[in-house]
Amino acid sequence: MKILLEDTIPFGTDYLNSVGEVETYAWQSLVPEMLRDVDILALRSTTKVTPELLTKANKLKFVTTATAGTNHLDKTHLDSVGIMHSSAAGCNAVAVAEYVLSVLLHAQKAQKLDLYNATVGIVGAGNVGTALSRILMAIGVKHCLYDPPLQQALAKSGKKEHNGQSFVDLAQIAKCDVISLHVPFIKGGEYPTYQMIDEAFLEGLTSNQLLINACRGEVIDEVALLSVLRGEKPPTVVLDVFDNEPAINTALFDYVWFVTPHIAGHSVEGKVRGTQMIYEQICDVVGKAPDKVLSDFLEKTNPIKVALNSPEAVRLSVEDLIAVFHDVYDVAIDDEITRNAFASGHNETPETHIANTFSTLRKQYRVRRECSAYALHLPKNTSKQIQDTFTKLGFHVSLV
Ligand SMILES: NC(=O)C1=CN([C@@H]2O[C@H](COP(=O)(O)OP(=O)(O)OC[C@H]3O[C@@H](n4cnc5c(N)ncnc54)[C@H](O)[C@@H]3O)[C@@H](O)[C@H]2O)C=CC1
Ligand SMILES: O=C(O)C(=O)[C@H](O)COP(=O)(O)O
């Protein structure tokens, strides 16, 4: 059984070398000839699976991506030629939700937002939207959901809410203090998302609003976005994803508050969970019982000793939350790394520099762990409510 793996799949070979004969291909180097005699292809979102790529795939029976998004797979074509396909749905949902939390905490610090009195509109209430909703519930921030496909599916069994949260229409989302996008990129069909955040939506936003896109660049009309950002009193915008990656439009950088190179989901847990999921799928395809578990591959971390300003309060103060959470993940660090990399000197054409810089930043992303990787040592007098909040954020809490 020949398994071809994209080399950006962490621990891919360690997971799969007992399942079949594993070969890896270097990032962005895959050509049709390399798929001859391959039974299983495992990749991440940088490999585009097109009909052209599969022209020499004489034995391919299964294609899987260690990512949540699947818009890089031509599923219609795979179905038409009888090649099974799958993904790592939900693998990095918590990572993206933690990215959004960091943005919200910065917005509070910068006085762009009164977090505990704000409403967050979540567009797309799947794995990421639900993970974000759980975080917002844990810290007590109001939010609502826009997800017509899910709303319709739940309505069939008489349900009006998801995870205790209500659905609203897009016009109500447009009025929220924060709008956070978590839909797949879908062109056509009943619920397309391509440029669903269009010129009219963007022009309706005010300078008191925060728009975050950590799903796919194509979901926003980027030309309209740039024009709105160049206008008077634009909204605050945070972008992790762009149209036409990696050859992105860096003109946006001057107007966007935080800019990151499509790394919202790139926590160690998010990526290795993706590998674990595709390993289990491949075991299933070849009829082997999986014997490796995620914890075999995740390094232990040192506990974080926390000094809280208001440990006895019934609600975690936003200052204490910022201090603890930004020790775990701080989007401002990624923004700084991104801007510095794009500003650095080079001998390439501007287009090549942009595409190479974007791709390299993603491939060489730093080690970032999720809250669940850490034991939090809290002061002995920490209230039960504050302990619960940290537990709901995923930390392993103890009093010392
Ligand atoms: N920046 C990053 O690193 C990452 C980006 N993503 C992106 O975020 C997307 C969402 O991820 P998950 O939550 O894991 O996917 P998911 O499939 O679990 O959830 C997507 C949700 O969007 C809803 N939806 C579909 N069409 C819609 C429409 N027209 N309007 C409103 N809602 C709609 C679906 O019903 C579903 O509930 C992925 O498809 C991927 O493109 C995901 C992970 C990491
Ligand atoms: O899972 C997804 O969907 C994402 O957007 C991932 O963050 C993509 O990561 P790469 O596959 O491009 O490393």
Side-chain angles (χ1 to χ4, degrees), residues 44-46 66-70 91-92 215-216 262 265-266 271 362:
R44 292 189 59 90
S45 80
T46 33
T67 61
T70 57
C91 63
N92 45 19
C215 62
R216 286 293 180 267
H262 192 156
H266 277 194
K271 283 184 160 186
R362 305 195 69 228

Side-chain angles (χ1 to χ4, degrees), residues 218-347:
E218 292 82 357
V219 169
I220 297 185
D221 176 345
E222 231 179 48
V223 174
L225 176 65
L226 190 53
S227 154
V228 164
L229 287 171
R230 282 175 168 154
E232 280 176 28
K233 300 194 174 175
T236 299
V237 172
V238 171
L239 295 180
D240 178 54
V241 288
F242 300 82
D243 242 355
N244 202 32
E245 293 176 10
I248 62 166
N249 183 0
T250 52
L252 286 158
F253 286 21
D254 288 344
Y255 306 95
V256 167
W257 189 34
F258 288 126
V259 61
T260 52
H262 192 156
I263 50 68
H266 277 194
S267 65
V268 172
E269 283 75 10
K271 283 184 160 186
V272 182
R273 231 180 257 127
T275 314
Q276 176 78 34
M277 286 178 175
I278 63 160
Y279 159 71
E280 289 174 10
Q281 293 161 8
I282 293 172
C283 284
D284 193 40
V285 167
V286 306
K288 181 185 186 301
D291 57 5
K292 296 190 168 67
V293 291
L294 191 62
S295 53
D296 296 341
F297 297 92
L298 295 178
E299 275 185 33
K300 297 253 179 311
T301 58
N302 292 325
I304 304 177
K305 190 165 170 28
V306 175
L308 298 172
N309 285 323
S310 325
E312 291 172 77
V314 289
R315 183 176 202 179
L316 179 63
S317 76
V318 78
E319 293 73 24
D320 280 336
L321 174 58
I322 291 170
V324 174
F325 186 75
H326 277 166
D327 245 14
V328 173
Y329 178 62
D330 185 346
V331 68
I333 295 173
D334 286 331
D335 172 79
E336 191 184 349
I337 293 171
T338 308
R339 289 181 192 277
N340 287 344
F342 277 94
S344 68
H346 60 92
N347 299 319

Side-chain angles (χ1 to χ4, degrees), residues 68-71 89-93 96 123-130 146-150 181-186 190-193 196 213-216 240-241 262-266 362:
T70 57
N71 55 292
C91 63
N92 45 19
V96 180
V123 178
N127 287 298
V128 177
T130 304
Y146 173 71
D147 191 326
L150 179 63
L181 307 177
H182 304 292
V183 288
F185 169 29
I186 307 170
E190 201 179 345
Y191 302 109
T193 61
M196 69 186 285
N213 188 8
C215 62
R216 286 293 180 267
D240 178 54
V241 288
H262 192 156
I263 50 68
H266 277 194
R362 305 195 69 228

Side-chain angles (χ1 to χ4, degrees), residues 75-96:
K75 291 191 225 168
T76 311
H77 179 70
L78 288 168
D79 288 338
S80 75
V81 294
I83 297 174
M84 296 181 293
H85 50 86
S86 192
S87 66
C91 63
N92 45 19
V94 169
V96 180

Side-chain angles (χ1 to χ4, degrees), residues 21-68:
E21 182 197 334
V22 177
E23 268 183 37
T24 59
Y25 65 92
W27 165 64
Q28 289 182 343
S29 71
L30 190 61
V31 291
E33 194 54 45
M34 289 158 68
L35 286 173
R36 194 181 293 284
D37 295 335
V38 167
D39 300 279
I40 293 171
L41 172 64
L43 42 94
R44 292 189 59 90
S45 80
T46 33
T47 297
K48 314 290 171 215
V49 178
T50 59
E52 298 71 49
L53 179 71
L54 301 184
T55 46
K56 300 283 188 320
N58 54 333
K59 288 177 74 182
L60 195 61
K61 63 156 79 81
F62 183 51
V63 173
T64 186
T65 178
T67 61

Side-chain angles (χ1 to χ4, degrees), residues 82-122:
I83 297 174
M84 296 181 293
H85 50 86
S86 192
S87 66
C91 63
N92 45 19
V94 169
V96 180
E98 290 185 357
Y99 174 99
V100 175
L101 176 59
S102 179
V103 173
L104 298 180
L105 297 180
H106 273 286
Q108 169 75 34
K109 251 170 88 175
Q111 297 184 336
K112 288 175 179 284
L113 192 68
D114 178 5
L115 185 57
Y116 286 164
N117 289 306
T119 301
V120 177
I122 300 178

